[in-house]
Structures are given as structure tokens and as C-alpha cells.
Amino acid sequence: IDDASGGGVGGVVLGELDEIIPTVFRLEWPQEIRDALVSQNNPDGSITNSDLECAGLLLTWLVMEQVCPDLVHKHIALWSDNQPT
């Protein structure tokens, strides 16, 4: 499960059938990312919320690679509250 916003991204990694230490992660976006985010105050920005949600999903996968045992031939479910992601 992950979520992203203009401030950062975070998520939770849980295992169902394999023993995985439940892991919570959080990353604050660098200022240059926050400054480039499209918003009412910055309509000409180059990064959308959907871009951040997609980056958050990728970050979730990278965290999973570190905390989960072998992911080869495993079924993985990743949830996001952003339809384009």
C-alpha cells in the first residue's frame, strides 16, 4: 500500500503467506520536486500528482525487493489510490 502527495511518499509492506517483517517507509520529496509540482499556485509545473503516485509505486517495489524474501514466481499486489497509476 502506498500513497504520494506533494510533500512525500510513504507506504506499508506486509506479507500474507511468507514471513515478512511489516515495514513502513516514508520519503520526503526533494525541494526541486516539490517546486516542479503542478498546483493552483504553479499551473505551469512539470510534475503532476500522478507522476508522484507512479514514483511512489516504484519506490514501494524497491522497498519490497529489500524486505521480502525471493520475489521470483510470487504474486504481488500493489495498491494505489490514483487511477492513472
Side-chain angles (χ1 to χ4, degrees):
I1 301 171
D2 81 295
D3 195 22
S5 70
V9 62
V12 179
V13 176
L14 303 168
E16 182 178 8
L17 301 177
D18 290 331
E19 289 190 28
I20 296 171
I21 297 171
T23 303
V24 177
F25 66 93
R26 174 89 168 93
L27 174 74
E28 184 177 341
W29 298 125
Q31 189 62 47
E32 63 189 285
I33 299 295
R34 290 182 284 178
D35 291 344
L37 182 62
V38 174
S39 67
Q40 283 185 323
N41 295 333
N42 185 24
D44 297 324
S46 60
I47 297 175
T48 66
N49 183 64
S50 292
D51 294 329
L52 297 180
E53 291 279 357
C54 190
L57 209 54
L58 175 62
L59 181 61
T60 301
W61 181 263
L62 295 174
V63 170
M64 287 177 60
E65 286 184 334
Q66 296 301 308
V67 300
C68 298
D70 188 13
L71 293 175
V72 175
H73 305 295
K74 301 286 182 165
H75 294 277
I76 306 296
L78 300 172
W79 284 277
S80 173
D81 63 352
N82 183 273
Q83 187 67 30
T85 301

